[in-house]
Amino acid sequence: MHHTLRELYKVGVGLVLADLVSVFWFSAAGFFPLTILGITWSASAVWPIAIFDLALILLLAHYGWSMKLPITSPTERGLLKFVGLVFLVVAIVHLLRIAFGWNLILGEASIPVWLSWAGVIIPGYLSYSSFHFALKK
């Protein structure tokens, strides 16, 4: 099971890295503003996307390559609990957005509510994984 999760995290690194490269490529090629799945992205969204992608790459790379299982270090357990809490809060906020129909506008892009389902599932799973590894003895 742990081997499969590590391999999934490594695939995730590749996917997020591809997203990062494509965002910079689209920006350099002058493709912005760009509409994908009903979301219009402007050139002002490039750096926030890049920062988010880099943070996600670091986290997934840690899970995929650096994390030794079982975790015995109190520092690493604390970090995983913190990361799990952050992902849990993100998932809950997306769930509240779906429940109450809140609008989300980033720059000039209005994010559709259906996209929040990914914002519930992906951070929810990452939260579960973080707490699972942090609390496992």
Side-chain angles (χ1 to χ4, degrees):
M1 174 70 173
H2 295 298
H3 180 70
T4 304
L5 286 176
R6 284 182 180 212
E7 295 306 312
L8 285 174
Y9 291 134
K10 292 175 185 178
V11 168
V13 168
L15 292 173
V16 176
L17 188 59
D19 177 60
L20 180 65
V21 169
S22 66
V23 164
F24 282 122
W25 176 54
F26 287 167
S27 177
F31 286 147
F32 288 106
L34 178 68
T35 301
I36 299 173
L37 299 174
I39 304 169
T40 302
W41 300 94
S42 67
S44 64
V46 170
W47 285 109
I49 292 170
I51 292 168
F52 176 80
D53 281 353
L54 287 173
L56 191 55
I57 286 170
L58 289 174
L59 179 71
L60 292 173
H62 174 71
Y63 281 164
W65 283 283
S66 300
M67 195 165 61
K68 306 293 182 227
L69 297 173
I71 296 171
T72 56
S73 166
T75 303
E76 193 163 5
R77 284 184 189 272
L79 178 63
L80 283 173
K81 288 176 187 175
F82 174 74
V83 168
L85 183 63
V86 169
F87 280 127
L88 181 63
V89 168
V90 169
I92 289 171
V93 168
H94 276 287
L95 193 59
L96 289 172
R97 178 175 183 243
I98 292 168
F100 295 112
W102 295 339
N103 292 327
L104 177 61
I105 300 172
L106 299 174
E108 298 172 9
S110 177
I111 310 301
V113 174
W114 64 262
L115 198 56
S116 281
W117 283 109
V120 171
I121 294 168
I122 295 168
Y125 176 73
L126 290 173
S127 175
Y128 164 77
S129 294
S130 296
F131 284 121
H132 173 77
F133 290 131
L135 300 175
K136 190 171 185 175
K137 299 280 181 188

